[in-house]
Amino acid sequence: MRALVTGVGRGLGAAIATELAGRGVTVIGTARRSVAPEAERSCTQIVQLDLADRSSIAAAIDEVHTMGEPIDVLVNNAGLDGRAVGASEHDRGPLDIDPDVFMRQIEVNALGPLLLSRGLVDLLLAANTPKIVNISSQLGHPEVVLRTGRDVGYNASKAALTTTSATLARELPGIIVVAVHPGWVRTDMGGPDAALGVEESAARLVDAMLALRAEQTGRFLDVDGNPFAP
Ligand SMILES: NC(=O)c1ccc[n+]([C@@H]2O[C@H](COP(=O)([O-])OP(=O)(O)OC[C@H]3O[C@@H](n4cnc5c(N)ncnc54)[C@H](OP(=O)(O)O)[C@@H]3O)[C@@H](O)[C@H]2O)c1
């Protein structure tokens, strides 16, 4: 089995790559720049990919095609919040958001995964039970946003990723496409107070992705593969 995981340089992406490799899956990782030592060990190849740059996405798609092998699981994990684009806590709210910050989050969190997924459809369809797992967020769900989370660009981009997953699922009946909330996880993005350790989230996510069934396609799931409950 072969998986492609985006954003293996740190955080959840590095942990998912490690978990998959530990279960005997061949992992191709993508990174913008530096790669964590554990990801270097768990990935057979690292492809350079910046989801904010369409020429980088096209080059990564070409590079994966030159490998000439089917892809069983595509994990669109890489993503960012407003802080990663330089917005302060204050600047991330709906009344203050810089349009460029908003659009950068849409570009990286929603459009990038769509462009990468569609560029790899032929390699996915060459696998036996292909899956696209989009790491979305509960903050893309309006019921959750009514309680917490005022990074409007992040919320909108994750809502877009979740609905893009369902749209792709309808278009591609041969591929199981899901969006998943990984839990609140202790990474650079989640911070030190988050509920789940990164290895625990990754282990549960990998259990869920390997067990995905055709009838789950298009759904928004929690870290254990159950329907997400806001
Ligand atoms: N942590 C949580 O509590 C939580 C909760 C819900 C959802 N999520 C989602 O889970 C995923 C992983 O998050 P994390 O917690 O591991 O975050 P993180 O520690 O901040 O890591 C983010 C990853 O995304 C990559 N990335 C950022 N911008 C990119 C770009 N333009 N092109 C390609 N890669 C880019 C980063 O690469 P660089 O090292 O090059 O910056 C890094 O590998 C994200 O999609 C996030 O939205 C996280």
Side-chain angles (χ1 to χ4, degrees):
M1 183 180 286
R2 286 171 90 243
L4 191 148
V5 182
T6 64
V8 298
R10 59 192 168 96
L12 206 44
I16 291 170
T18 302
E19 186 68 34
L20 283 167
R23 299 186 196 205
V25 177
T26 299
V27 182
I28 302 160
T30 80
R32 274 196 298 185
R33 32 178 191 243
S34 64
V35 172
E38 67 267 27
E40 247 173 22
R41 280 194 295 275
S42 54
C43 297
T44 56
Q45 275 134 314
I46 303 283
V47 174
Q48 200 274 336
L49 172 65
D50 182 347
L51 288 164
D53 176 350
R54 290 186 207 163
S55 62
S56 171
I57 297 173
I61 290 167
D62 284 349
E63 188 175 340
V64 176
H65 274 92
T66 63
M67 298 172 194
E69 300 276 347
I71 295 171
D72 297 273
V73 190
L74 167 60
V75 185
N76 282 306
N77 159 81
L80 45 71
D81 64 14
R83 292 170 300 184
V85 202
S88 68
E89 186 58 46
H90 172 75
D91 292 344
R92 293 192 284 162
L95 303 184
D96 303 291
I97 188 83
D98 177 332
D100 291 337
V101 170
F102 186 96
M103 290 311 295
R104 176 60 66 93
Q105 292 181 86
I106 297 284
E107 189 99 34
V108 171
N109 292 348
L111 180 60
L114 172 62
L115 296 179
L116 184 66
S117 299
R118 76 182 196 190
L120 297 175
V121 159
D122 56 337
L123 297 180
L124 285 155
L125 288 173
N128 283 334
T129 312
K131 299 159 185 165
I132 298 174
V133 177
N134 289 322
I135 305 296
S136 191
S137 171
Q138 63 174 353
L139 291 171
H141 196 297
E143 291 296 328
V144 175
V145 173
L146 283 169
R147 298 194 298 268
T148 185
R150 63 184 292 280
D151 186 334
V152 67
Y154 185 77
N155 300 348
S157 66
K158 291 299 186 177
L161 178 61
T162 299
T163 53
T164 298
S165 305
T167 318
L168 254 188
R170 288 182 57 206
E171 199 81 6
L172 295 170
I175 303 178
I176 301 171
V177 188
V178 294
V180 180
H181 171 57
W184 183 26
V185 189
R186 290 190 291 278
T187 60
D188 293 339
M189 185 186 293
D193 299 329
L196 285 182
V198 70
E199 287 86 8
E200 181 184 350
S201 173
R204 290 166 65 176
L205 283 172
V206 168
D207 281 343
M209 67 179 79
L210 295 181
L212 280 173
R213 303 179 310 280
E215 59 268 28
Q216 290 171 292
T217 197
R219 309 288 172 208
F220 182 33
L221 306 174
D222 70 14
V223 65
D224 296 313
N226 300 313
F228 177 77

